[in-house]
Amino acid sequence: MSSQTTSLDGLAQFDRTTSIWGPITLGLGFLVSLGAALFAAFGTGLGITGQEVWTAFGIVFATFGIIAVVEPISYYPILGRSAMYQAFMIGNIANKLLPSALIAQTDLGEKPGTRRAELIAGAAIIGAAFVHILTLIILVGFLGTWLLGLLPAGLIAVARVYILSAVFGAVTIQAIVSMKNVRTTIIAAAVSAVVVYGVLRLAPGLANYATAISVVGVIIVAWFARKRTDAPTAAEAPASVGH
Amino acid sequence: MHRFAVDPSSTDISPVSFHPVLWICAAAVFAVIVLQSVIYLRAIRKAAGSANLTDGQVMGSVRRGGIAAIGPSLAVALVAVSLLPLFSTPAVLTRIGLVGSAAFDVAAAGLAAQSQGAQLGGPSYTQKVFAIGFAAMTLGGLVWMLTALILTPILSKGDKTLRKVNPAVMTVVPTAAILAAFITLALTETTKSGVHVLTLLASAAVMGLCIAAAKFLNKPWLREWGLGIAIFVALAAAFLVTAK
């Protein structure tokens, strides 16, 4: 305990640096992305109106907005303050950053939650980000188009048309398995089926809002039909969907 | 190289999707992440002694984190390559590969296309639909960044008060929202054509097999690679069926 003063100084310095530079770098990432989005919509001379972009964004927000608020809250206890700024900048939290942090902590015999664990997690996330950026630049940036060129030309055309089905089949199964909630899965399947095969047949004009309607509907039904005897298991973060 | 001929109704999206400005934005996102990592690494190394960590242990953690990320990174790259025909390199690098995820970004782009009465990838997938889809997925992703920016200081001061409001809200709501969103999107695909149904089922089946095999054969990597494998097998199935 003799080194307590230095101890506080060193970590206080770390807290200062990350509480200033964490938001600044995340904010920079935010501005660059915003610039890219605004340029694609308005800077390319495609004649896209603000109304069209707002409508498209509104539908996305209605569908995923709730998750975008809940996810950061759920991850906070696992990541801690400094790593929050890393994680929501780099993305791929559940499938890459958290496993990397956990492995590094286990190797050094540290449990999540301590200051030592926080520094180890930060270092591990830096390593994970480095490897991720490298594989993306090489495999997707430089070799991606060439790799696609090895495939038959017809396959690329088919890929463009059916890619949504190919992604959603797998992602839906993944979501169902990782949520481990039979009751909510059945409710979600029933409500979604009613919306897609029923409501949309009767009112095709609602097509834009089908997903948002399902999301709100399932949340309401699942809330009233939840198992009230369950002990709260809030400690478990939901599987990442957006990041 | 591409002519930067802009035509909102052209189905050759490359003049817009490979626009130099989008390349610059992609590079800038990578640069910001590198900057953040450098600043954090310096701060961690300075603070290490106070937390009873040697410099060797810090750099060892960087190395272990990197090694642990190789598998997931390759799996993400596989998915990213499969999405190149749809979104092109700059958008795939920044959104799918980096800050976003295939599941959210493809869903967001699909919803945005729908608002234009179009479908991703088909004859109705024009430059304009691409641009609106890219803008919508990026703006949607920004909501995550914004909530992280706003909530992190609040949570760190309030010490998890937000979580204590009602734990049931924190489990029921996100589970319901995620399942509702993706099941609805999957069912919507079934209304498009028989081949869409087949592609969807093939993808779901392969993912299910990967998850089951990962569990019973105790091969966790199969779970990570599941999405990429499922996409490629499902697209191959669609190709075989449509090729006749």
Side-chain angles (χ1 to χ4, degrees):
Chain A
M1 279 295 129
S2 59
S3 65
Q4 197 169 27
T5 345
T6 50
S7 198
L8 280 172
D9 282 351
L11 288 168
Q13 180 73 36
F14 173 77
D15 286 338
R16 229 179 92 79
T17 308
T18 53
S19 68
I20 294 170
W21 285 100
I24 289 178
T25 45
L26 185 59
L28 272 176
F30 180 96
L31 291 177
V32 170
S33 305
L34 183 65
L38 294 180
F39 175 79
F42 305 120
T44 41
L46 287 168
I48 294 168
T49 66
Q51 185 60 48
E52 287 175 307
V53 174
W54 276 114
T55 306
F57 169 68
I59 296 165
V60 173
F61 185 73
T63 306
F64 292 105
I66 292 171
I67 304 167
V69 173
V70 168
E71 251 187 25
I73 302 177
S74 315
Y75 279 129
Y76 181 83
I78 308 170
L79 290 167
R81 193 185 51 74
S82 60
M84 282 286 281
Y85 297 116
Q86 290 179 292
F88 284 90
M89 174 89 128
I90 299 162
N92 295 286
I93 302 172
N95 65 352
K96 192 170 51 196
L97 301 190
L98 286 179
S100 292
L102 279 177
I103 285 171
Q105 286 169 348
T106 313
D107 281 354
L108 291 175
E110 191 61 55
K111 285 208 178 75
T114 66
R115 296 312 308 267
R116 197 163 172 261
E118 187 184 349
L119 297 187
I120 297 168
I125 287 176
I126 291 166
F130 177 73
V131 166
H132 192 47
I133 286 179
L134 215 61
T135 51
L136 278 179
I137 291 179
I138 295 172
L139 293 178
V140 184
F142 290 128
L143 301 180
T145 319
W146 173 76
L147 286 172
L148 280 181
L150 299 179
L151 301 171
L155 183 59
I156 306 300
V158 167
R160 269 179 50 145
V161 177
Y162 299 105
I163 187 80
L164 273 183
S165 302
V167 171
F168 291 146
V171 169
T172 305
I173 295 298
Q174 199 174 27
I176 291 171
V177 172
S178 57
M179 294 299 158
K180 291 193 191 76
N181 193 324
V182 178
R183 186 185 294 230
T184 311
T185 303
I186 293 169
I187 294 169
V191 172
S192 304
V194 168
V195 170
V196 174
Y197 301 121
V199 176
L200 286 188
R201 289 274 149 85
L202 298 171
L206 289 175
N208 279 345
Y209 303 97
T211 320
I213 294 170
S214 294
V215 168
V216 175
V218 173
I219 288 174
I220 294 170
V221 178
W223 177 255
F224 286 109
R226 73 183 191 275
K227 268 189 220 153
R228 290 165 205 252
T229 47
D230 267 2
T233 49
E236 228 175 287
S240 179
V241 53
H243 283 261
Chain B
M1 273 315 284
H2 304 284
R3 300 163 292 111
F4 292 107
V6 170
D7 173 6
S9 53
S10 166
T11 54
D12 175 18
I13 62 160
S14 52
V16 173
S17 64
F18 282 105
H19 199 287
V21 173
L22 294 188
W23 274 114
I24 292 168
C25 291
V29 170
F30 279 80
V32 175
I33 290 173
V34 170
L35 172 73
Q36 187 189 56
S37 298
V38 169
I39 292 171
Y40 265 64
L41 188 57
R42 285 177 53 135
I44 290 170
R45 291 175 82 164
K46 260 191 198 156
S50 319
N52 225 353
L53 280 169
T54 65
D55 201 49
Q57 284 175 317
V58 170
M59 296 318 284
S61 296
V62 173
R63 201 177 57 243
R64 283 188 190 90
I67 293 169
I70 291 175
S73 295
L74 292 175
V76 169
L78 178 69
V79 175
V81 168
S82 75
L83 289 168
L84 282 174
L86 200 55
F87 299 124
S88 303
T89 319
V92 165
L93 278 181
T94 45
R95 292 297 324 160
I96 316 291
L98 220 52
V99 272
S101 74
F104 163 74
D105 287 300
V106 173
L111 290 168
Q114 209 176 62
S115 78
Q116 288 285 314
Q119 284 180 20
L120 293 191
S124 57
Y125 189 54
T126 61
Q127 289 184 7
K128 186 179 175 184
V129 176
F130 162 79
I132 291 181
F134 174 69
M137 67 163 92
T138 308
L139 293 173
L142 290 182
V143 180
W144 265 270
M145 278 186 165
L146 201 61
T147 50
L149 269 174
I150 295 170
L151 291 176
T152 303
I154 297 175
L155 289 167
S156 101
K157 281 199 191 80
D159 198 32
K160 300 170 196 168
T161 28
L162 267 170
R163 282 176 71 80
K164 285 176 190 150
V165 176
N166 189 340
V169 174
M170 296 296 297
T171 48
V172 173
V173 172
T175 305
I178 289 173
L179 288 171
F182 287 111
I183 292 176
T184 306
L185 289 165
L187 291 182
T188 308
E189 289 300 299
T190 64
T191 63
K192 290 176 180 170
S193 79
V195 183
H196 283 89
V197 176
L198 175 94
T199 312
L200 188 77
L201 292 177
S203 167
V206 172
M207 187 74 199
L209 279 175
C210 285
I211 293 174
K215 192 174 175 191
F216 292 114
L217 306 177
N218 199 19
K219 301 252 188 304
W221 64 267
L222 264 171
R223 212 184 150 103
E224 264 160 34
W225 283 80
L227 182 59
I229 297 170
I231 290 173
F232 272 93
V233 172
L235 288 178
F239 176 67
L240 291 177
V241 173
T242 51
K244 288 179 196 106

